[in-house]
Amino acid sequence: MATFLFPSRQKDEHPHSQRTQHHHLDTMADPAALRISTAEEAVARIAYLASDVIVSVQPAHGVDSQFSKHLSRYATRGDKSLVAQTGVPEIQTIRQNADPLLSVFTPIRNGKLTSVTTTSSILVSSVPHLYRLANFPVVIHVSIKPSSYPDYSSITSIRNSGFTFLQSETLQEAQDIALTAHALAIKSWKGVIHFFDPGSSAQDTHIQFENGSLVGAILDLEAVKAFQKGKIGGDSIYADDGRVASITENVSTAPATPMEGVALPAALSIAESTSQAILSKASSVGTSSPGNSSSERNGSVSSATTVESAIERAVASQDIYKFVTEIWTKLEHALGRKYTPFEYSGPSDAENAVFIFGSDVGAFAQAIDAAKATEVYAKAGVITARLYRPWLGLNLVESIPKSIKKVAVLEQIRRKTTKWGPLLLDLLATLKSGPGNGVETIVGHQLGYIAPETVPQALRGVFQNLTSEKPIQNLEVGNADGPTVTEDKADQSQPKVEGAYMKILDQIFGSRLYLANALGAKNAGILDSVATNPEFGFGSLLARKEHRQRFLSEVEKASTSTEFITEAAKPWLKEWISSANDDKKASEIADEIIPRLQMDGSALSQALLAKSGLFRKESQWLVGSDAWAYDLGNSGVHHVLASGENVNMLVIDSTPYSEKAAGNAARRKKDIGLYAMNYGNAYVASVAVYSSYTQVLQAMIEADQFNGPSVIVAYLPYFKEDDSPLTVLQETKKAVYMGYWPLYRWDPKNEEKGAPNFSLDSERIKNELKAFLARDNHLTQLMKRNPQFSSSLAQDYGSEVRALQKRKAKDAYNQLLEGLAGAPLTILFGSDNGNAESLAKRLGNRGKARGLKTMVMAMEDFPIEDLPSEENIVILTSVAGQGEFPQNARAFWDAVKDNTELDLANVKFSLFGLGDSHYWPRKEDKHYYNKPAKDLDRILTNLGGQRLAEIGLGDDQDPDGYQTGYQTWEPLIWQALGVDKVEGLPEEPAPITNEDIKISSNFLRGTIVEGLNDQTTGAISAPDQQLTKFHGTYMQDDRDLRDERKAAGLEPAYSFMIRCRLAGGIATPKQWLQMDDISDAHGNQTMKLTTRQTFQFHGVVKSKLKPAMQDINKALMTTIAACGDVNRNVMCSSLPTQAEYQKEVWHYSKVVSDHLLPSTTAYHEIWLKDENDKKTQVAGDAVQDYEPLYGPTYLPRKFKITIAIPPHNDTDVYAHDIGLIAIKGKDGKLAGFNLTAGGGMGVTHNNKKTYPRTGSMLGYVAKEDIHMACEKVMLVQRDFGDRKNRKHARLKYTMDVMGDDVFKGKVEGMWGKKFQKAKPFHFQSNIDTFGWQKDELGLNHFTFFIENGRIEDTVDFPMKTGLREIAKVLDGEFRLTGNQHLIVSNVKDSQLPQIKEMMAKYKLDNIQFTGLRLSSSACVAFPTCGLAMAESERYLPVLISKLEGVIEENGLRQESIVMRMTGCPNGCARPWLAEVAFVGKAFGTYNMYLGGGYHGQRLNKLYRSSIKEEDILGIMKPLLKRYSLEKTDGEHFGDFCIRIGMIKETTEGKTFHDDVAEEESDEE
């Protein structure tokens, strides 16, 4: 016979002292023997088997509970439940402070058996839900906390909620009673709470896994199915629907056959005969069902029973007793273990007993068993409640011997709400008033923490008190405070990013700030869970207000008092009284009063000084979490708003947008902001610090100034407490841009000022939301009638919109194809970089030319339900990331990969993949090559599809790239379709190239103006995207938001990057302020200082593009030729220490820059002319321009020039098309320049025909000739550069093809002069020198560390504001460096103290960073750069932080190590010259390069390919340690890596790919 759960207990074994046989498992024991080791695991297994849905309550995001770690493991493995309709139960993980029981309503009302696993910390705050859930078959398993000393008051506080309460004590009982709870809930249709102390069973013998068939038998699976078929209904989560669990009794003329009509499911057919015997021995009392008429559930009635009448009534206590007794009878028959509502153990003639309601009853039972006969507690009985509620007094009387005269009650309750303990009151009502018992004395005791070794002593005290003549009631036993153990307070913890709003409050209000309910505040005797709720905080603020009113009266009295020693303070006190409620004036006067009181020295002055904080009008704040948003009426938010008091509330919502979008819409939190706005008396703002720091400041200041309640709902999403700021930023952007979290401010008093009440601050949805508000004005009226509006008013229609778009697109194609002859051919593409899309469109055109009815669309746009009806379908897809589908193909893949319902038997298909067999060179990564195409080919075959042609694979490593494989595959498609021999096919037009776009653009005009005026889209056309680069702007989209906007049926979040042209990187303070204004008014409120020494703006939407350009022009700057196939911004060393020399060199950067500017007037026409100016030249109406230098096609590719001033190579002179090295004459002034040519950084991964190159020395040029020498180098490149292959079009390839000498001769021939021999020079470094320096003129310069060039305000560092304030007063200038840093220059000694003070105020004087961080640099990459393959600017600081520990440990803090990172191989941050570099290859994956020259003179080389963070750290940490131990004096890191053989030296660009440390594998 199979056993169930755990072997039965022997009959003579004491039920309360089973733990006398404790032992741990032998590690060599049979693995099938004892497996379950904790009560939480035992409970989790039963809950998993017996539930459709499990709400798993966790301490915090990313922190498993003792239940959830098991539940998630079962679900991940796909373990099956006995009752889940989907096979695997749904596990919903909810944070403790996020009102978890709210998640139970929807599934339980929809016929899903729902259970909850939680600690006791949520129970009291969930009381409103418990009363409503008590009449649903919900099971809540409760682990009582704190673990070191459990507090049972969490149970007693909710004992009257209507739930049935069951208690377990041992590990075995936890399993049995968990099963009992689920079976009882199903049988009674009432909620059951199973509570236990896991610590009591921590040392218990491990038990076996459950027997599934017997669990099913005890659960009554037929009753489960009956429940699942019905829906209880009701759409109000927040109100009691009046439902009462009821029972239908059938009155029959014939006796019912026990359990007749209950059949076992097929899954249980193999159950042993014992199971069947058990079922036949217990009879059902009746069938319970909901009392409301909306129930669809029918009682299960035996077919053999004759029914005369039926009576329906509420389930009563005796029904619960009968149900649970029946369940326990089954368990006893199977296991030999007997359970009763009350358990008594001890002598049958005992006179004294102890009733224990607390943890570790077994310890007391063991002590009593082991007591000597002389002990006062010897031969005493022990009583416990197994069924705590309903309280069955008569059963208790029947359970204990008649001989019992005295009962000691031990209650482990730390928070008493009455003088007498609840259990004591229960016993008094039962034993003192009940019939037929002899109990004479009942004495209550408060059970504190008792160490195991002191249990006998505690019992001695209890029984001595019990047996005394006058026993003391409520005697405390043990330590009432519990052991000194640090408890887990995860439910009150804040994530590390959450302090952001607190810091802003502190920054704004400083000493005026008063937080009424701050975490960690010392509130005497108040629990954290209480101290942080709004009711407590509100009461605290009211008390604070009264306290200040009393203080005001004291001051008023003091102002006329004669108790002061001096009269100095009295007039100021009188003035203060009249301004006490004006925060600014009150603070100013307080500054006068306090020193005068300090000087007075009287008792009265000392008394006032003791309360000196009250002289200032406090900014009072309540700070709460999103838990307040689940039940506004009960949370205290309602009370604050209704009071009208001048109280500020900050409610921080931490639900990530992604989690919200995937969550249950019916569980949606209430909108506190909208709730507050409908009261009409409150200032309301919705803010997000990681979206708009400025708006947060503005909202908090306005809230403080508002006279009345203020509510700021603040967004700070996180998945787990240690989330990085990057994760929070990405989630915030999604929420704000998608409209889930709009930024707005609402001031109901603005009407009095003639201003609008509502201000929307999230620009991207401004027009959409305004239209919504206008269209749905009736919603406002609805909400005014009912402020507690239904959350179902707000819905996300994104998926419906997207489905409709797909259907419309497909239908439109079908209409176009109607009437055409030929076979149909559907062509789908998945493309990130455009290659697969171009191939697909070309294939479609070729198919039409052959008479086929072709349809071409992105894979994501194809309605998947139409797939089985397609006749012929061809799919072309490239590869993204590590073998992933491109973004516009993922929805298609997700829809088919696990689909078992699609029947493709009538579908013919073929796949073509575009990949790179060497992109992932490691052998273990080879399967990533063309993985999407291979996977989809396999899936379509498995679904029954027939191949038109075998899969085709294009490989970038082939001679013609992917075209090699494509040229073999395409003919097979035409052959399969019978159109391979069609004659007279038209000649295909050549693909449009950048050269075509330029030559047809009419000198860079194109259709840019038309595109700017097109308001139907935020984008411009593809040709215009190429042309606008010449105007200094790139079109981009926010890649953090692509998926969300696509799902919502929206186009990408298009915006533009604008780059200024700023020769030499010098700007005036006025220009700095103008740039700052532009970033706020037109951009994303940040500025980027680029590696090309200029300003860059991001997030400029199309409608603001022209105003931004005009404002840049007003600042006497331009953006012309900042990008594009022209000479771009000319750089120059900043060199703070040599003022006159730097100024002279900088002059020539302007000379060269101005000389090489394009001459087209298109820039002025498009961006700067007035819209009404009739002379505007656009497109065909334009007078033909003339480009004397560039010609109509400009250059083959971009062209870059820089100037370096030795010994500083801070502009990376060797990395540019032209590098000018300033040469000082004997007079100390500039004489001329050494000129290098052919440097360049752009590379394509795994394409060895592309490589970085350092410039070749052509010779020396006198300063007065330098602009002409640069011109001629550029013109040779114009005439001889490769215009057919843009990957081979840079000057570096031209020079390598021609040879340096030939190229030099071409330049000299065109110039008419010769290069002189290069002059000697010496470089020391290519990094900046931070801190203060003084030049020869006595002027001061400070180099700020601007990490990766990003100028922005953050909570911890108000950099942007600080620099703006400095610019307002600065007499000098700003210099942007080529390493993305900033120098405040030419500061006079007289202004030095002022500037230093301002720098300190805004933390701008901090340069105490590691040499590694100070020498680092990164490009922008995600989210705006369309070329980025991995993070860069947002990730490099994180990586460096993870390396700084080993840097510090090994004494390398001051060591300058040049580390650079880019998101792609284009090389914007010049990574190929760094000593260590990381170049993005896929998201989270990088190529690692070592061995670059510290002076920027030597290229590095590939060390490892396709590595992730753990690999990077695994390499860098030991390497840095080795460097610290083995480096020679003055040896730089790159040189060290070469010397020890880590990497081979790269001698020139053409050898960049040779002798790499990790050779690529050719194996498949």
Side-chain angles (χ1 to χ4, degrees), residues 352 367-368 370-380 456-457 459-461 463-464:
N352 303 322
I368 292 174
K372 296 179 181 179
T374 56
E375 278 285 7
V376 67
Y377 54 85
K379 298 185 179 180
Q457 179 183 343
L459 280 171
R460 194 173 300 119
F463 279 89
Q464 285 175 351

Side-chain angles (χ1 to χ4, degrees), residues 640-642 644-645 647 672-673 675-685 706-711 745-749 757:
V640 174
L641 293 171
E645 292 286 348
V647 172
I672 289 182
Y675 182 86
M677 284 161 62
N678 278 280
Y679 264 87
N681 68 336
Y683 173 90
V684 185
F706 185 81
N707 186 21
S710 297
V711 177
R745 289 165 293 121
W746 166 273
D747 187 339
K749 297 184 180 178
N757 289 356

Side-chain angles (χ1 to χ4, degrees), residues 983-997:
E983 297 181 355
L985 293 174
E987 186 175 340
E988 290 183 354
I992 296 176
T993 67
N994 281 61
E995 296 301 307
D996 298 323
I997 293 171

Side-chain angles (χ1 to χ4, degrees), residues 165-191:
F165 286 76
L166 294 170
Q167 178 181 202
S168 62
E169 298 167 21
T170 69
L171 179 57
Q172 185 60 69
E173 288 173 4
Q175 192 178 55
D176 291 356
I177 301 304
L179 176 58
T180 302
H182 284 275
L184 182 57
I186 293 167
K187 205 163 190 61
S188 67
W189 273 51
K190 282 183 67 68

Side-chain angles (χ1 to χ4, degrees), residues 452-655:
E453 63 274 12
T454 63
V455 170
Q457 179 183 343
L459 280 171
R460 194 173 300 119
V462 168
F463 279 89
Q464 285 175 351
N465 183 50
L466 177 66
T467 56
S468 65
E469 291 187 11
K470 294 183 178 180
I472 302 172
Q473 289 287 0
N474 285 332
L475 184 68
E476 288 189 358
V477 181
N479 180 2
D481 296 326
T484 54
V485 177
T486 303
E487 279 298 322
D488 178 18
K489 295 186 178 180
D491 57 325
Q492 295 294 335
S493 67
Q494 292 179 335
K496 63 181 181 182
V497 294
E498 195 162 306
Y501 292 105
M502 303 300 104
K503 290 177 182 176
I504 296 177
L505 286 173
D506 189 58
Q507 288 171 8
I508 297 173
F509 304 114
S511 59
R512 288 183 53 227
L513 178 64
Y514 177 75
L515 295 179
N517 61 339
L519 283 174
K522 296 186 182 299
N523 301 294
I526 305 296
L527 294 169
D528 280 351
S529 59
V530 177
T532 53
N533 70 37
E535 295 96 325
F536 175 85
F538 184 45
S540 172
L541 288 182
L542 292 181
R544 189 79 175 173
K545 178 181 177 181
E546 293 174 3
H547 188 34
R548 192 165 192 263
Q549 285 298 118
R550 289 196 300 270
F551 181 70
L552 199 148
S553 299
E554 293 171 11
V555 173
E556 188 172 10
K557 184 178 178 181
S559 66
T560 59
S561 174
T562 59
E563 297 179 26
F564 288 115
I565 296 174
T566 68
E567 296 291 305
K570 291 172 67 174
W572 289 101
L573 292 174
K574 291 177 181 178
E575 186 175 349
W576 179 84
I577 293 168
S578 63
S579 304
N581 291 319
D582 184 318
D583 57 289
K584 185 176 181 181
K585 288 184 179 179
S587 294
E588 290 174 353
I589 299 170
D591 290 338
E592 300 291 340
I593 292 174
I594 292 172
R596 286 171 170 80
L597 291 176
Q598 290 171 337
M599 293 176 62
D600 183 80
S602 66
L604 180 55
S605 65
Q606 295 304 311
L608 292 175
L609 284 171
K611 304 173 185 177
S612 59
L614 296 174
F615 277 116
R616 306 179 195 278
K617 182 177 181 292
E618 293 174 330
S619 183
Q620 299 180 334
W621 290 82
L622 280 169
V623 182
S625 71
D626 48 356
W628 292 5
Y630 289 100
D631 196 335
L632 298 176
N634 289 298
S635 71
V637 174
H638 167 82
H639 307 306
V640 174
L641 293 171
S643 73
E645 292 286 348
N646 190 8
V647 172
N648 303 311
M649 297 181 68
L650 175 67
V651 182
I652 300 173
D653 191 309
S654 57
T655 303

Side-chain angles (χ1 to χ4, degrees), residues 1161-1182:
T1161 60
Y1163 183 85
H1164 188 261
E1165 294 166 13
I1166 295 171
W1167 306 108
L1168 305 181
K1169 284 256 184 126
D1170 187 88
E1171 292 180 358
N1172 297 319
D1173 191 335
K1174 300 295 184 183
K1175 297 180 182 178
T1176 299
Q1177 298 176 345
V1178 176
D1181 296 329

Side-chain angles (χ1 to χ4, degrees), residues 7 92 119 166 267 435 544 546-547 770 941 1015 1144 1159 1366:
Q92 295 185 10
T119 66
L166 294 170
R544 189 79 175 173
E546 293 174 3
H547 188 34
K770 281 184 176 177
T941 301
Q1015 298 180 7
E1144 191 177 6
S1159 298
I1366 289 174

